[in-house]
Amino acid sequence: MSGNRELLEATLAKAASEDRAALIAYLPGGFPTVDGGIAAVKAAVAGGADVIEVGLPHSDPVLDGPVIQTADDIALRGGVKIADIMRTVREAHAATGAPILVMTYWNPIDRYGVERFTAELAEAGGAGCILPDLPVQESALWREHAEKHGLATVFVVAPSSKDARLATITAAGSGFVYAASLMGVTGTRESVGQQAQDLVRRTRATTDLPVCVGIGVSTAEHARQVAGFADGVIVGSAFVKRMLDAPDEAAGLAAVRALAGELAEGVRKR
């Protein structure tokens, strides 16, 4: 079975045709439980998220801030496995019809086997992978298998990336480009500023792929600001924080849906 890269591309194109940015929600798989994580994806889509990133929890998440680390710890203590991430993708995609990517560090895929991982992700209806720590120059094996199975390969660019490096990264990627708005780890911040806008401008000069901005976006106002210059707005920690702060799972799901609704409104007011 072929993956859903075309669905991802069509979803981003539809948002652009409506003169708005796409809303991309990140939620860790297995948090607070595997079933709870699937329910959270459904809640985010019901609230207005266009695309979902399911995080594969990792014991050493170098790019993730304290909020996502806390959620990852809960998922790992619950015994989450790659099979549970595949189940999350399968069930959430079947229920929502939304394109679902997996965001993961390279090490778990390497250990699991690239061919096995890509085949299973495609079979589950996944749209692709975001690989924040896989260097482009070491990505040929992954890209070969992703291409074979119809999966997008989303690479991350940072404000520190030089223009020539941006061109190399965007030429190798597919689906969209993930522009990290700030140097450092994920988390919510007071504002998402000029650095991100400059990075989007420089990235667009090298590619026709949509450029989506993440890291630090947490409110409808942030979403509106970022939607003014990016093709997509990526929000993670703010969703996870709502779930962590909720008194119970039902309240957490309601909070995820409500936040998605606020952000969906934000991306439409560019």
Side-chain angles (χ1 to χ4, degrees), residues 147-266:
E147 192 61 40
K148 184 168 95 176
H149 291 292
L151 298 169
T153 299
V154 178
F155 288 113
V156 179
V157 297
S160 57
S161 306
K162 301 281 187 281
D163 290 354
R165 175 94 183 122
L166 287 176
T168 303
I169 294 170
T170 58
S174 55
F176 65 91
V177 182
Y178 187 128
S181 69
L182 301 141
M183 302 301 290
V185 299
T186 59
T188 59
R189 287 180 175 80
E190 292 307 304
S191 68
V192 181
Q194 198 57 47
Q195 219 177 16
Q197 196 163 350
D198 183 55
L199 176 59
V200 170
R201 182 186 55 74
R202 292 194 300 119
T203 304
R204 279 201 180 129
T206 71
T207 184
D208 292 331
L209 288 172
V211 183
C212 304
V213 170
I215 303 190
V217 183
S218 61
T219 66
E221 179 54 27
H222 286 168
R224 188 191 64 74
Q225 287 170 21
V226 174
F229 59 81
D231 301 299
V233 178
I234 303 168
V235 181
S237 296
F239 281 113
V240 177
K241 189 169 188 319
R242 293 264 178 127
M243 290 174 74
L244 287 168
D245 290 348
D248 55 49
E249 192 175 301
L253 295 173
V256 164
R257 182 171 179 158
L259 177 60
E262 292 161 25
L263 294 164
E265 226 170 278

Side-chain angles (χ1 to χ4, degrees), residues 93-120:
H93 172 64
T96 65
I100 302 185
L101 300 121
V102 170
M103 186 164 188
T104 177
Y105 296 100
W106 178 244
N107 186 267
I109 294 179
D110 199 29
R111 285 207 311 265
Y112 197 73
V114 177
E115 168 58 22
R116 181 182 174 199
F117 190 95
T118 50
E120 289 183 8

